[in-house]
Amino acid sequence: MRCPFCRHSDSRVVDSREAEEGAAIRRRRACSECGRRFTTMEEASLRVRKRSGATEPFSRAKVIVGVRKACQGRPVRSDDLALLAERVEETVRSSGSAEVAAEDVGRAILGPLRELDEVAYLRFASVYLAFESLADFEVAIAALRADAGQSSEAAGAPLAESSRAAGPELGAAGLTRGPHLAAAPGLRAAAGP
Ligand SMILES: [Zn+2]
């Protein structure tokens, strides 16, 4: 590793430790020419491929920006968003690929966001899954209600009264794998313009 101070091409590692909870390694290096020290970070490459074909580094901050919009006015804390972004990164990294589609990032957001706040989830899903009509919302809400019924923990959820259209046979899987996914216009909410 080249020294950033004197441009000497050789340095030695004087300390090496895990960072980002094991996702990265931080190394302290000393230049063998000028003796000054600097730090390097090593982590598995993860790039996001946008619909335009361009790629950019995966960014938790971008995930948070996208999700925060959907969370406006909702009782969601910054800590919750940080944790969500962490889970999203874990999910997309677990594919093992160095490059993932923006759609995959959006899909990875749906699950944790749904656990966090159902209204924010519906907002996000309506953009990500390109809801086109009330019927799309009804299917999504029915899926939420069906799951709430199974776990019985969200019995008093505010969504419970907002739709009585579709039956409980429409599970959550139907939403995330539904026909809209193929037509989804990229990850507008999460990846920005
Ligand atoms: Zn140097």
Side-chain angles (χ1 to χ4, degrees):
M1 176 69 64
R2 186 189 289 273
C3 170
F5 302 104
C6 73
R7 316 294 293 165
H8 186 69
S9 63
D10 193 34
S11 63
R12 65 192 170 84
V13 176
V14 294
D15 184 41
S16 185
R17 61 183 63 185
E18 280 193 355
E20 305 281 328
E21 291 175 335
I25 293 181
R26 175 184 284 121
R27 291 200 168 92
R28 236 10 223 157
R29 292 170 179 272
C31 175
S32 45
E33 180 70 21
C34 70
R36 292 165 94 169
R37 296 189 170 195
F38 56 98
T39 303
T40 57
M41 289 280 281
E42 179 184 329
E43 62 185 330
S45 173
L46 181 59
R47 298 187 68 82
V48 177
R49 186 175 57 257
K50 298 193 281 189
R51 289 228 318 153
S52 64
T55 68
E56 60 187 15
F58 174 87
S59 156
R60 284 188 205 171
K62 276 207 162 178
V63 169
I64 289 173
V65 167
V67 174
R68 183 178 284 140
K69 278 183 212 154
C71 290
Q72 271 175 18
R74 301 299 303 165
V76 175
R77 299 170 306 153
S78 300
D79 287 0
D80 297 327
L81 293 178
L83 199 62
L84 179 143
E86 228 176 274
R87 288 179 62 186
V88 169
E89 179 170 2
E90 272 170 26
T91 301
V92 293
R93 278 194 187 278
S94 69
S95 73
S97 313
E99 191 178 298
V100 295
E103 286 84 353
D104 295 333
V105 179
R107 194 176 301 123
I109 288 171
L110 287 173
L113 183 55
R114 180 176 160 157
E115 286 174 26
L116 195 58
D117 187 279
E118 288 177 332
V119 171
Y121 163 79
L122 280 175
R123 288 175 182 159
F124 184 85
S126 71
V127 174
Y128 170 66
L129 299 174
F131 285 9
E132 288 168 351
S133 66
L134 271 183
D136 290 331
F137 279 94
E138 285 165 354
V139 169
I141 290 167
L144 286 171
R145 293 177 72 192
D147 285 8
Q150 279 162 18
S151 65
S152 79
E153 65 182 15
L159 285 175
E161 296 305 314
S162 58
S163 170
R164 44 192 104 241
E169 72 275 5
L170 293 158
L175 177 63
T176 51
R177 288 203 301 267
H180 294 300
L181 196 53
L187 184 53
R188 291 183 308 219

